[in-house]
């Protein structure tokens, strides 16, 4: 999905501020459309419906993998994968999760992060202090697949990722309470009824 | 603004103004429960980023804990069903 400020990354010859003002008068519609789309997607994570869809998909996935292993790590991975699937592949973090899974399946070694980063020199145009720069890098490492994103894109991904994570927590909490509260009953029936609801 | 920057600090080489940073940071601030109510001019960019990182880490930890509980619950129910199946088969015999 295109960044909602694409010009800033592609036009080195014009002053970005001027460009921005210009875009506001001539290119207003596309910019606000992208921004609207993004907000809609983020709001989706907060709906009950999305949470229910996620819960049932997660339970289905957990049932399928139950025979092989139900360690905490696998559960967490499954939860992340279902979350990424639900994101419908429009965000970088979701693509990164699904790619990582594919790579793990083919038993490829995890590529070590390329840490050949340039030391943030104090340039003449000091746009950001090193502190902010450092924190941005940390944030980039926390959100899957976002190590090298520009600031606006990273924030875009972060917003969506946080909304998705919050939903994940809500859904898994509800599932856990449901399973714990029901006590020792025939598990197949219980999970089946949850899937069908 | 000059176009000298062939390699800026960021690998994408994006040009970001201070104003834009302030704007984006304030948007991010609204997502973080801890910082939501506060005025944007009272919270520094570095603090917002720090709190964002903390918040994401906390969410990861919560999911870890929930995964742990879920795996235990699933294992225990599976054991029950296995035991039930064994007992059932023993009784049938």
């Amino acid at each position: 999905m295109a960044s909602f400020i694409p010009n800033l990354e592609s036009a080195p010859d014009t002053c970005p501020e001027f460009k921005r003002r210009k875009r506001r008068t001539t290119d207003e519609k596309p910019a606000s459309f992208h921004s609207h789309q993004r907000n809609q997607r983020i709001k989706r994570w907060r709906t009950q419906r999305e949470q229910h869809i996620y819960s049932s998909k997660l339970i289905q996935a957990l049932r399928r993998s139950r025979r092989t292993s139900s360690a905490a790590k696998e559960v967490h991975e499954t939860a992340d994968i279902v979350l990424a699937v639900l994101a419908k592949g429009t965000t970088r973090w979701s693509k990164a999760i699904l790619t990582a899974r594919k790579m793990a399946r083919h038993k490829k070694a995890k590529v070590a992060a390329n840490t050949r980063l340039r030391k943030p020199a104090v340039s003449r145009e000091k746009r950001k202090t090193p502190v902010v720069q450092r924190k941005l890098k940390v944030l980039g490492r926390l959100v899957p697949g976002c190590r090298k994103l520009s600031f606006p894109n990273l924030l875009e991904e972060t917003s969506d990722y946080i909304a998705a994570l919050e939903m994940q927590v809500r859904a898994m909490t509800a599932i856990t309470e449901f399973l714990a509260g029901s006590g020792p009953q025939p598990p197949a029936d219980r999970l089946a009824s949850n899937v069908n609801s | 603004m000059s176009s000298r920057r062939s390699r800026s600090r960021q690998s994408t080489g994006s040009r970001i103004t201070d104003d834009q940073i302030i704007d984006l940071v304030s948007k991010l601030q609204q997502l973080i429960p801890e910082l939501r109510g506060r005025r944007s001019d009272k919270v520094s960019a570095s603090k917002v980023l720090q709190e964002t990182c903390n918040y994401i880490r906390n969410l990861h930890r919560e999911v870890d804990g929930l995964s742990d509980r879920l795996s235990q619950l699933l294992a225990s129910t599976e054991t029950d069903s296995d035991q039930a199946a064994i007992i059932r088969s023993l009784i049938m015999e």
Side-chain angles (χ1 to χ4, degrees), chain A residues 45 54 58 61-62 72-87 93-101 142 144 161 164-165 167-169 172, chain B residues 59-60 63-64 67:
Chain A
W45 292 119
Y54 176 72
L58 177 57
L62 288 173
K73 185 160 170 277
E74 269 85 11
V75 172
H76 194 164
E77 271 171 20
T78 307
D80 281 345
I81 289 165
V82 177
L83 195 66
V85 167
L86 220 63
W93 66 262
S94 58
K95 287 183 207 160
I97 289 178
L98 296 174
T99 310
R101 182 199 192 198
L142 281 173
Y161 188 53
L165 279 182
M167 189 213 68
Q168 189 181 43
V169 167
M172 289 178 73
Chain B
L59 288 172
H60 283 165
V63 176
D64 269 336
S67 303

Side-chain angles (χ1 to χ4, degrees), chain A residues 80-141:
Chain A
D80 281 345
I81 289 165
V82 177
L83 195 66
V85 167
L86 220 63
K88 296 202 176 91
T90 50
T91 52
R92 199 176 280 256
W93 66 262
S94 58
K95 287 183 207 160
I97 289 178
L98 296 174
T99 310
R101 182 199 192 198
K102 240 187 270 177
M103 300 219 346
R105 269 189 167 173
H106 293 145
K107 291 187 182 154
K108 282 190 184 146
K110 211 173 174 185
V111 178
N114 186 0
T115 48
R116 270 189 58 231
L117 301 164
R118 291 172 77 107
K119 200 169 173 189
V122 178
S123 76
R124 263 159 292 182
E125 299 96 345
K126 230 164 99 167
R127 286 172 290 140
K128 283 181 272 187
T129 68
V131 174
V132 172
Q133 189 72 9
R134 271 205 307 275
K135 308 241 182 255
L136 270 179
K137 285 211 199 310
V138 174
L139 184 60
R141 283 203 299 267

Side-chain angles (χ1 to χ4, degrees), chain A residues 41-85:
Chain A
R41 205 177 56 219
I42 294 177
K43 279 190 191 145
R44 223 184 58 208
W45 292 119
R46 301 204 173 115
T47 60
Q48 276 279 62
R49 183 169 176 269
E50 199 71 13
Q51 188 179 325
H52 285 151
I53 295 173
Y54 176 72
S55 301
S56 62
K57 281 198 198 291
L58 177 57
I59 287 170
Q60 280 172 358
L62 288 173
R63 284 183 74 199
R64 275 199 298 271
S65 66
R66 206 158 55 135
R67 295 298 161 198
T68 49
S69 164
S70 53
K73 185 160 170 277
E74 269 85 11
V75 172
H76 194 164
E77 271 171 20
T78 307
D80 281 345
I81 289 165
V82 177
L83 195 66
V85 167

